[in-house]
């Protein structure tokens, strides 16, 4: 380890007073929305230099792990084609390419293949490049796509004549990166973002061949706690404007056949009512939490649009089973439910009511419906994976229920799924609740005698559920004897909506104590050595990391916190920061003293104290639009000032990246290799 001093940040006391309480933030000065302040950039560079120096001795290991992971990835790896209109669309990854090539053909087998977009060519001139929102016009002649060269998630929409391989003159600036086409092939709907808060809040209608300045704004969201998004109904008849907040939602409908049509509310928005809709012939199907904590499926005829009293049950409410997703086809309804933490899919024939639940081999797994774009499809497309089963794509015949495997992700090298085992267990939390935990390990390396190193991961916010999934990267840990655990803590919806409600706002502390209780139980049961526990999380999972090391730092040998949301109170008091207003129903609004006082009990930045902390690796991106770079920057500075140990605290900022990290499939592996080598090095030191 290099003999170099850690950067010491200057202190400039900044007083913040609310509810007759004063906080002093010595590092408030680190915020620079322009990201051009020389002093701040110099400090970030010094932190990067310090990290490089401290981890210099691990560079060979980082490279080894990088090559290990890369060597397992099939370089020529194409996605499974999905049908949209008259074409089948897919994505190709070739050789050493960092980015995909988007293609289409006239059938599933690739007949008449044509290249739509080679992102590798587009990315050559940029340190960062992201292309998204590819969408062909209804007649298949034009292609729209968004590009971001900064990683702030603000996109410029471009339009391409596919046959001529030429760009149109139209450019739509400041968008969220996607459009929805009207059925005349020249009208597009898009969302503009507020350049400061980055909220997409205005829906515009653009006619190709005209100036963006002449575009018509057809909807503006005045409530800053709502996100706005747009999509098209599967039958192509309607454009949907989605209004989504944490605890309420709504939808407005536009006639896709009328370039002058204005949006009509599906129903009036109601506080606490969350729903989404799909259209089949003259019926709208509605997934709703109206008198249904775990949601139910209902339907209403189009002639009763706006009248909730006319809604009819299709799948009734069930307090023990959460309705997660559904797809409509000409005569079939497919619905996905979660019971006791396990997801299941059922196919029902609408005309007869006949139905069949699909079965899978693993005890716990990930199951996602995707690519079901056409209402007259004869098969359901789904993606399946588990800790030990690589990602597998299936078509399931809607009538016979037979599964056809289309593709399974190839894992190169000597991988054999039989070498690994997974478990689903439940851990008793301090308040008696049973917390699901998914575990995977290499059989010949696992003894369940308390000697294995343990890597524990969780997210635990926004109701996001992290199911067991396959990872080629994770094999580098398992093959070195690590036990890998996902703690399905409160704040997720692993056990339904109540599991989420019990880990947000004034019950948020359950998220952190669940994670800690899982750590204690796993080591007590012999799944891991209590002196070899490592934990990782990103974004809101980074908040989790910050909280647990303030509460129980002695439990963890090493922590990795990626783009961590750690300055909760200050951020939630500042409505100019992206996402703040949308988050009030998740965390609470600290202008209300009840929420302020509660947030102060767990906010990682505010709870830093003079105590020993684990070894810590913090990573972020300068251009992060979700969690601003200055949150982890301030947190690291304060930790350096307060911590009473000699453990390692290193902080790396990617000066070109944002919330999602580096662009490019292989570049991202370097971040994983850095984290793994950080943990393995600590393990080797004993």
């Amino acid at each position: 380890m290099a003999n170099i001093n850690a950067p010491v940040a200057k202190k400039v006391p900044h007083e913040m007073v609310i509810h007759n309480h004063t906080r002093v933030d010595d590092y408030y000065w680190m915020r620079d929305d322009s990201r051009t302040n020389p002093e701040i950039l110099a400090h970030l560079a010094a932190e990067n230099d310090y990290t490089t120096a401290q981890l210099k001795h691990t560079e060979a290991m980082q490279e080894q792990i990088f090559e290990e992971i890369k060597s397992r990835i099939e370089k020529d790896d194409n996605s499974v084609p999905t049908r949209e209109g008259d074409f089948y669309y897919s994505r190709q990854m070739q050789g050493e390419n960092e980015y995909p090539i988007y293609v289409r053909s006239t059938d599933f087998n690739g007949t008449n293949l044509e290249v739509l977009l080679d992102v590798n060519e587009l990315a050559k001139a940029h340190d960062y490049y992201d292309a998204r929102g590819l969408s062909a016009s209804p007649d298949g002649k034009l292609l729209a796509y968004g590009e971001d060269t900064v990683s702030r998630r603000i996109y410029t929409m471009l339009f391409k004549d596919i046959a001529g391989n030429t760009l149109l003159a139209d450019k739509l600036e400041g968008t969220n990166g996607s459009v929805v086409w009207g059925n005349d092939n020249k009208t597009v709907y898009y969302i503009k973002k507020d350049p400061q808060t980055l909220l997409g809040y205005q829906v515009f209608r653009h006619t190709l061949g005209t100036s963006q300045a002449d575009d018509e704004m057809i909807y503006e969201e005045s409530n800053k706690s709502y996100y706005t998004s747009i999509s098209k109904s599967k039958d192509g008849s309607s454009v949907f404007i989605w209004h989504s907040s944490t605890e309420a939602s709504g939808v407005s409908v536009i006639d896709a056949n009328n370039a002058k049509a204005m949006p009509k509310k599906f129903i009036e928005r109601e506080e606490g009512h969350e729903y989404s809709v799909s259209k089949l012939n003259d019926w709208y199907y509605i997934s709703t939490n109206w008198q249904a904590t775990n949601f139910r499926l209902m339907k209403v005829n189009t002639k009763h649009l706006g009248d909730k009293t006319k809604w009819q049950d299709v799948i009734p409410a069930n307090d023990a089973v959460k309705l997660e997703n559904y797809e409509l086809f000409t005569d079939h309804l497919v619905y996905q439910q979660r019971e006791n933490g396990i997801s299941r899919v059922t196919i029902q024939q609408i005309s007869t009511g006949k139905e069949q639940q699909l079965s899978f081999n693993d005890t716990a797994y990930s199951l996602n419906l995707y690519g079901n774009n056409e209402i007259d499809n004869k098969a359901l497309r789904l993606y399946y994976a588990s800790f030990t089963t690589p990602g597998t794509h299936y078509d399931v015949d809607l009538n016979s229920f037979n599964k056809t495997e289309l593709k399974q992700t190839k894992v190169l090298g000597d991988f054999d799924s039989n070498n690994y085992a997974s478990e689903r267990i439940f851990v008793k939390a301090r308040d008696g609740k049973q917390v699901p935990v998914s575990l995977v390990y290499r059989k010949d390396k696992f003894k369940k005698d308390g000697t294995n190193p343990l890597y524990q991961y969780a997210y635990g916010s926004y109701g996001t559920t992290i199911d067991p999934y396959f990872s080629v990267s994770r094999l580098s840990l398992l093959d070195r004897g690590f036990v890998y655990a996902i703690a399905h803590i409160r704040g997720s919806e692993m056990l339904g909506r109540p599991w989420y409600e019990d880990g947000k706002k004034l019950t948020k502390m359950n998220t952190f104590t669940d994670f800690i209780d899982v750590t204690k139980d796993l080591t007590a049961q012999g799944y891991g050595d209590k002196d070899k526990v490592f934990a990782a999380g990103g974004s809101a999972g980074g908040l989790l990391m910050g909280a647990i090391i303030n509460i129980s730092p002695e439990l963890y040998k090493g922590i990795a916190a990626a783009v961590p949301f750690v300055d909760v109170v200050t951020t939630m008091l500042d409505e100019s920061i992206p996402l703040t207003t949308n988050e009030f129903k998740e965390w609470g609004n600290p202008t209300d003293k009840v929420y302020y006082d509660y947030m102060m009990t767990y906010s990682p930045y505010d709870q830093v104290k003079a105590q020993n902390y684990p070894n810590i690796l913090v990573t972020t991106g300068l251009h992060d639009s979700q969690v601003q770079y200055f949150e982890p920057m301030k947190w690291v500075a304060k930790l350096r000032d307060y911590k009473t140990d000699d453990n390692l605290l290193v902080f790396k900022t990617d000066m070109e990246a944002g919330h999602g990290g580096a662009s490019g499939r292989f570049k991202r592996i370097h971040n994983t290799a850095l984290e793994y080598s950080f943990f393995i090095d600590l393990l080797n030191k004993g």
Side-chain angles (χ1 to χ4, degrees), residues 210-230:
T210 66
S211 168
Q212 185 179 11
D214 297 328
D215 290 352
E216 178 186 13
M217 185 173 69
I218 60 170
Y219 179 82
E220 182 170 18
E221 181 57 68
S222 58
N223 188 332
K224 292 184 178 180
S225 68
Y226 277 79
Y227 292 104
T228 303
S229 58
I230 52 177

Side-chain angles (χ1 to χ4, degrees), residues 414-551:
D414 60 357
F415 169 75
D416 182 347
S417 63
N418 294 316
N419 292 334
Y420 305 89
S422 65
E423 298 182 37
R424 165 65 62 83
I425 66 171
F426 285 83
V427 165
K428 188 176 181 179
R430 62 193 65 185
D431 64 355
K433 294 291 178 69
Q434 295 289 323
V435 181
V437 181
S438 298
L439 297 149
V440 63
Y441 45 81
R442 183 168 173 129
K443 294 176 185 176
D444 60 359
K445 301 279 187 179
F446 178 61
K447 302 168 186 172
K448 203 177 180 180
D449 61 355
T451 61
N452 286 83
L454 174 67
Y455 180 113
Q456 186 174 320
Y457 169 81
Y459 185 72
S461 292
Y462 305 107
T464 300
T465 300
I466 311 293
D467 279 309
Y469 62 97
F470 188 82
S471 165
V472 294
S473 300
R474 188 189 300 125
L475 296 175
S476 290
L477 291 177
L478 304 183
D479 290 349
R480 288 173 171 83
F482 277 79
V483 173
Y484 182 98
I486 299 178
H488 305 293
I489 54 183
R490 277 172 279 188
S492 75
E493 287 186 334
M494 178 56 76
L495 297 181
R497 177 52 66 96
W499 198 244
Y500 169 39
E501 298 292 343
D502 208 16
K504 63 187 276 199
K505 291 195 289 191
L506 297 177
T507 58
K508 190 62 198 171
M509 191 63 75
N510 289 333
T511 298
F512 315 130
T513 56
D514 279 359
F515 191 91
I516 290 166
D517 292 346
V518 167
T519 301
K520 291 178 178 178
D521 193 87
L522 290 180
T523 54
Q525 288 196 52
Y527 283 101
D529 185 328
K530 66 179 179 60
D531 296 320
K532 299 175 183 176
V533 180
F534 303 88
S539 196
L543 160 65
L544 171 65
M545 294 300 102
I548 64 168
I549 62 173
N550 283 330
I551 299 168

